Amino acid sequence: MINIVLFGPPGAGKGTQADILKDNYNLVHLSTGDMFRYNLKNETELGILAKSFMDKGHLVPDEVTIKMLNAEVDRFMPCHGFLFDGFPRTEAQADSLEDLMNEKQTQINAMIALEVDDEVLVDRLLERGKTSGRKDDANEEVIRNRIKVYYNETAILKSYYEKQNKYFGVDGVGSIEEITQRVSKIIDGL
Ligand code: AMP
């Protein structure tokens, strides 16, 4: 198996790249943001619980997020590998992912982070908010808060994977094809 964590602030292009990479490398794409939005739309118990956090741009509590992610991993096993998008976002999530991978007798091979300047992110997300219908993309304050949360709460993950020599930063500015090429070069070298 090959298991990749795709990382980067909101608006960095994780979803776009994940869509391409999952096909190119035959990976199961698991986006915790998409899972929460699905539950929100269908007004499940989980969706109702997550809504108040998501609307403000805050993280949903670890316990809830980890339980949801583990269930999804189980659902797709066995498979060729996973492309995790938006998870892990905290050290507790990273630890639990490590345990889960060990349990499946596999491991995380790399965290690939798309690096994009803050002002470019805000512009991209406001633009996306015009058509996506996402409440958390419509308001500049919420967008800036999500970027702040990303740096405050998730910066620790960079050192987490750096310590294991698994962190790879990629310039996330350029055409979609250019960025796919940069990321693919890393995956091919693993
Ligand atoms: P995203 O689409 O990845 O930007 O996620 C949208 C929202 O879903 C986030 O702002 C959080 O409220 C929630 N969320 C997604 N992934 C996680 C996670 N790994 N841990 C906690 N909350 C998450």
Side-chain angles (χ1 to χ4, degrees):
M1 281 178 86
I2 177 161
N3 301 296
I4 308 284
V5 174
L6 197 57
F7 199 59
K14 294 191 296 289
T16 306
Q17 291 301 325
D19 260 351
I20 302 168
L21 296 166
K22 73 169 194 318
D23 290 337
N24 291 357
Y25 292 94
N26 190 19
L27 302 174
V28 175
H29 174 208
L30 293 187
S31 154
T32 41
D34 285 350
M35 291 174 208
F36 282 130
R37 277 184 291 278
Y38 176 85
N39 279 281
L40 209 86
K41 201 170 126 210
N42 290 287
E43 295 179 343
T44 66
E45 205 177 313
L46 178 64
I48 292 161
L49 197 157
K51 186 178 184 331
S52 57
F53 298 97
M54 292 178 75
D55 282 351
K56 295 194 203 90
H58 294 167
L59 291 182
V60 178
D62 280 338
E63 201 193 315
V64 178
T65 309
I66 289 168
K67 197 171 153 205
M68 175 180 77
L69 189 276
N70 287 8
E72 282 296 284
V73 166
D74 277 343
R75 198 157 76 87
F76 286 101
M77 286 293 287
C79 67
H80 191 250
F82 290 99
L83 184 58
F84 296 101
D85 164 7
F87 185 96
R89 266 175 154 101
T90 65
E91 196 169 0
Q93 291 180 13
D95 283 338
S96 90
L97 184 59
E98 198 155 294
D99 290 346
L100 183 69
M101 292 293 103
N102 285 338
E103 195 187 292
K104 309 287 178 207
Q105 285 162 0
T106 183
Q107 58 162 341
I108 294 297
N109 300 90
M111 165 183 264
I112 302 177
L114 301 177
E115 296 167 343
V116 181
D117 190 71
D118 282 6
E119 295 312 309
V120 176
L121 295 174
V122 173
D123 286 348
R124 280 190 190 174
L125 288 169
L126 283 171
E127 204 48 45
R128 182 169 85 181
K130 287 181 193 166
T131 53
S132 71
R134 278 181 58 168
K135 220 172 161 181
D136 58 352
D137 283 344
N139 178 314
E140 183 165 340
E141 203 183 312
V142 173
I143 289 175
R144 289 197 183 272
N145 190 51
R146 283 165 62 211
I147 296 173
K148 203 173 94 197
V149 167
Y150 171 80
Y151 287 113
N152 287 349
E153 299 192 22
T154 61
I156 191 159
L157 294 176
K158 182 175 173 180
S159 51
Y160 187 99
Y161 287 101
E162 257 171 358
K163 273 187 216 144
Q164 304 182 19
N165 291 321
K166 288 180 179 174
Y167 179 88
F168 300 87
V170 167
D171 179 3
V173 181
S175 70
I176 292 175
E177 294 77 17
E178 277 166 346
I179 297 161
T180 305
Q181 266 181 20
R182 289 174 202 154
V183 176
S184 301
K185 213 170 142 190
I186 293 167
I187 300 177
D188 294 341
L190 289 172

